[in-house]
Amino acid sequence: MKKKLFTITALLTILSAVSWAQTARVQAIHNCPDPGAATVDVWLNDALLLDNFDYKEASPYIDAPAGIAFDLSVCAPNSTDTVGAIFRKSFTLANNGTYVVVAGGGLAENGNTAFDLRAYGGLEAAQNQGAGEVSLNVIHGAYDAPMVDIYEVQVPAGELVPDLDFGGDVGSYVDLPAADFDVQVRTQAGIAAAEFDADLTTLADNALIVLATGYLDPGSAVGSEPFGLLAVLPDGTVLPLGGKGITPARLQIIHNCAATDAGSVDVWLNDGPNPLADDFAFRTATAFIDAPAGELFDVSIALPNSTDTVGALFKQTFLLESAQTYIVIASGTVGSGMYNPATPFSLEVITDAHETATTPGNVDVLVWHGATDAPTVDVVETQVGAGTIVDDIMYAQAQGYLDLPAANYDLDIRDMSGNTTLFSYDANLTPLANNAITVLASGFVDPGMNNNGANFGLWVALPTGGNLIELSISTGVEDIDLLNDVSLYPIPADDQVTIQFDANKANMLNMEVLSVDGRVLLEETVNVAAGANTLQVQLPAMPAGYYLMRFNDATNLQTIPLIKR
């Protein structure tokens, strides 16, 4: 710090003795990581301008001659003149112009990556007139790095700067909120080269230059400076942006391959050491998990009890985007047996997936056509009069998201004409408020022509994963007169759930809590009064997922869906 203050003081002393008819304002930034230029002297014509100017150092804005040509010479440190300068370049600046001159490139490089002094338009103050924003320009200054894109992945704001090559800049300052950002540098192939914490919260009303610096591959470079980003303020302050791990993507995997040989599989991420999903059964889903982003990775589908990916049934390479959410659905057929049509196995990717509802209290519904022998169909809602909610969806297509109130719906699956109903389902979404779900057409319309595989049905995948839920089972209400106006809270339930309902008469009911495969987890007798009732039920120890509460007396049976947190 003492050296830098001395350098700036000496610089201002020199400039105070010089006057020009016309002037421009110039900031100098040393961004050359080449060891041969780690420290340099910078001369303006025959006057020493910057003494022992270090890599990653910047000057404040200073006056420079305008309207006339002048030389900037880069010399070895402790130079006494410009004889034998490392580099010399002539400039003619516009009167009252403001510039940033950046030293960059490599001393032994040729062409565009050779050492150079590049001038860019500069700003000494934010152009937002104190609006609490930051004016920012980005310069690609890492000469061994390819053309890149700059993304913001925390907000996420998405792509900020496309197609930035070495020596290039945004072209003008852009205004951003003085907020905390995560900035990611990606190659044109979508690979994330690095990610940085760009906390601008304390820099409101400043004009910044952000420069890529160092070497993307120090092992193959002449120097050892690692790749990074520098933020430079108008007063010459240089702030390295902190590097961080690549923000992951979010991913859910759903097994909807109805082939009999794929009833249970292992799912591998790259080569281990253990399966990502072990003995992953048909019509089950993982919860949403963090997944590698900005890098290529393999997902392999292997037979159950596999110990590696050798001989995997299927392998596919993925490249996911940071901070984005995906659903991957195992589809098609694989293995022995005859299927009509013979549809190759695939891992289908749904982008921009949701984990929660967009509108509080509603349900986000994604519809996926995953039945290989089912035709193109419409989905028509008939109870609340919503009409056609999915139009002409064919195998391996998604429709959504539908932002629906958490209500009870009747769904008809109809042919493309909309006139012929093929299947009908009840879809009670009332217990799914605030969730985002995937409704899948699953199984075979004609199992006899498809190796006697699973029957066709509509099944629901929850964001928490687990067994898929068949709509006809999860919403079955066999006698609506047993309990009326039923509500459960909280949803999802914790260790205890409160049930409120109206009863037409006093009654003694048998109450059960069942898993979706029919196992009775809790059974007790409850006394119900005529009119309004409130029951508090202590749930047994059971994992998060979807369950059924069943009430019955001697003649009536009623089933209510329950979600456990």
Side-chain angles (χ1 to χ4, degrees), residues 54-70:
D54 292 333
Y55 171 55
K56 295 184 181 179
E57 188 175 11
S59 76
Y61 278 90
I62 57 176
D63 286 336
I68 59 173
F70 65 90

Side-chain angles (χ1 to χ4, degrees), residues 116-374:
D116 198 0
L117 298 175
R118 291 178 169 85
Y120 305 88
L123 282 179
E124 288 190 70
Q127 57 193 6
N128 51 57
Q129 300 300 312
E133 295 181 335
V134 176
S135 296
L136 182 143
N137 190 13
V138 180
I139 298 173
H140 186 330
Y143 69 84
D144 74 330
M147 180 182 288
V148 297
D149 302 322
I150 310 297
Y151 279 75
E152 198 291 320
V153 298
Q154 178 168 284
V155 175
E159 187 178 62
L160 299 178
V161 184
D163 304 335
L164 193 61
D165 209 349
F166 172 68
D169 71 333
V170 175
S172 63
Y173 283 73
V174 295
D175 291 338
L176 296 174
D180 190 1
F181 299 106
D182 282 352
V183 176
Q184 195 174 97
V185 180
R186 300 181 188 174
T187 69
Q188 296 289 283
I191 304 298
E195 188 171 326
F196 301 90
D197 181 18
D199 187 353
L200 307 183
T201 53
T202 62
L203 300 176
D205 305 317
N206 275 283
L208 306 179
I209 292 285
V210 173
L211 303 100
T213 191
Y215 296 105
L216 191 61
D217 183 11
S220 302
V222 297
S224 59
E225 294 290 344
F227 182 82
L229 293 182
L230 303 176
V232 181
L233 277 63
D235 65 1
T237 300
V238 178
L239 303 172
L241 302 185
K244 60 187 305 181
I246 302 299
T247 297
R250 296 284 289 168
L251 174 67
Q252 180 179 47
I253 302 175
I254 302 174
H255 186 342
N256 194 46
C257 170
T260 54
D261 285 352
S264 179
V265 296
D266 290 347
V267 181
W268 291 78
L269 179 65
N270 292 325
D271 291 319
N274 297 305
L276 176 66
D278 192 29
D279 294 338
F280 190 42
F282 173 53
R283 290 176 176 162
T284 60
T286 68
F288 279 92
I289 59 173
D290 287 343
E295 63 180 80
L296 296 171
F297 67 93
D298 292 332
V299 171
S300 299
I301 307 298
L303 292 173
N305 304 313
S306 59
T307 57
D308 54 43
T309 62
V310 176
L313 300 173
F314 183 85
K315 179 180 289 187
Q316 185 169 329
T317 300
F318 291 86
L319 178 62
L320 305 182
E321 187 174 321
S322 293
Q324 296 299 308
T325 304
Y326 300 84
I327 294 173
V328 173
I329 302 177
S331 300
T333 58
V334 67
S336 61
M338 298 295 293
Y339 296 94
N340 184 25
T343 307
F345 180 88
S346 62
L347 294 176
E348 301 292 340
V349 179
I350 296 172
T351 60
D352 299 321
H354 298 182
E355 293 189 58
T356 58
T358 304
T359 303
N362 280 9
V363 183
D364 282 6
V365 179
L366 176 77
V367 179
W368 170 261
H369 188 326
T372 58
D373 68 338

